[in-house]
Amino acid sequence: METATPSKTVRERLMDAAETCLRDKGIRATTMSTVAERAGVSRAWLYRLFPDKNALVGAALIRLVETTWERNHAELAAIDGFENRLVAGVQIGRRAYDDPGAMLMRLRNDEPEEFGTAIGVGVAGLVPDLAAFWHSYVAEAVADGEIHPETHVDEAAEWVARVLISLGSVPGNHLDADDAESVRRHFRRYVLPALRSRPSD
């Protein structure tokens, strides 16, 4: 069993093992013991990094989303304008869960309650990562004059991340996240005016 391997390496091995178990067994049948055994890691190391099964599965599900981000950067880089990038960002987020045949979609459809609980736990780590993803696009929007020059880029990027997560994953009555024009209208009415205003103290 592993006792001295750096945490990052252990974490990666546990994520690989968790993803394999989820693919082979689904959420309910995946256990902490099975993941630790498959990763060749002690249960003590596993619980040091992930306090419970929901934290482990949630992190694995979020990592599946994150693996597409490099491709997403290339897609957004080819789009002109911050508004267009925001709209595309919602569509990208929706695709991460809804691609036909994707493991995420299968797990969500087959085990919706377990999926919802685990992904909710996993999202706790998603906000900082997604904010970092959007940081350069917010900074570019400031430089191009698309949003207020006094915008605090770090804070705004985190807010954009929270907005995109909400729009992409939480159903509502007045916005269809699968309709690009509905999303664009929402950004034009609420999000972009806020970003174009001078930040208050």
Side-chain angles (χ1 to χ4, degrees):
M1 290 290 180
E2 238 2 270
T3 57
T5 306
S7 295
K8 182 178 180 182
T9 301
V10 172
R11 183 184 177 89
E12 289 173 349
R13 288 166 59 185
L14 287 168
M15 289 291 89
D16 290 343
E19 186 175 328
T20 299
C21 289
L22 290 171
R23 182 178 293 108
D24 295 344
K25 301 171 176 287
I27 298 172
R28 290 187 203 99
T30 293
T31 66
M32 298 287 273
S33 296
T34 302
V35 172
E37 183 178 349
R38 185 180 290 267
V41 173
S42 70
R43 291 184 65 186
W45 263 109
L46 173 57
Y47 281 102
R48 179 176 175 180
L49 295 172
F50 302 100
D52 54 40
K53 178 179 169 179
N54 282 331
L56 172 65
V57 173
L61 295 176
I62 292 301
R63 192 180 75 155
L64 287 169
V65 176
E66 292 173 347
T67 57
T68 66
W69 283 5
E70 184 174 345
R71 182 184 65 201
N72 297 343
H73 267 309
E75 183 175 339
L76 289 182
I79 295 173
D80 290 328
F82 189 56
E83 176 185 310
N84 293 330
R85 285 174 172 168
L86 288 173
V87 174
V90 173
Q91 305 308 310
I92 287 170
R94 299 290 288 173
R95 279 204 317 260
Y97 294 98
D98 293 328
D99 281 345
M103 183 166 73
L104 287 166
M105 182 178 183
R106 176 173 57 80
L107 292 172
R108 186 177 68 175
N109 288 342
D110 293 349
E111 305 175 83
E113 185 175 330
E114 292 82 358
F115 183 92
T117 300
I119 202 74
V121 173
V123 163
L126 178 60
V127 170
D129 290 342
L130 190 58
F133 177 90
W134 277 93
H135 188 277
S136 63
Y137 302 114
V138 174
E140 187 175 333
V142 170
D144 290 345
E146 294 181 83
I147 60 179
H148 200 280
E150 295 178 38
T151 296
H152 188 287
V153 174
D154 291 340
E155 287 183 350
E158 181 171 311
W159 182 57
V160 166
R162 293 180 185 278
V163 168
L164 292 173
I165 290 169
S166 176
L167 293 180
S169 61
V170 182
N173 294 327
H174 301 287
L175 183 149
D176 179 359
D178 293 318
D179 178 0
E181 289 311 308
S182 178
V183 172
R184 185 180 303 279
R185 184 168 57 249
H186 180 82
F187 280 127
R188 284 182 175 176
R189 287 179 175 175
Y190 306 107
V191 178
L192 287 168
L195 289 168
R196 288 169 181 152
S197 299
R198 184 179 183 276
S200 60
D201 295 328

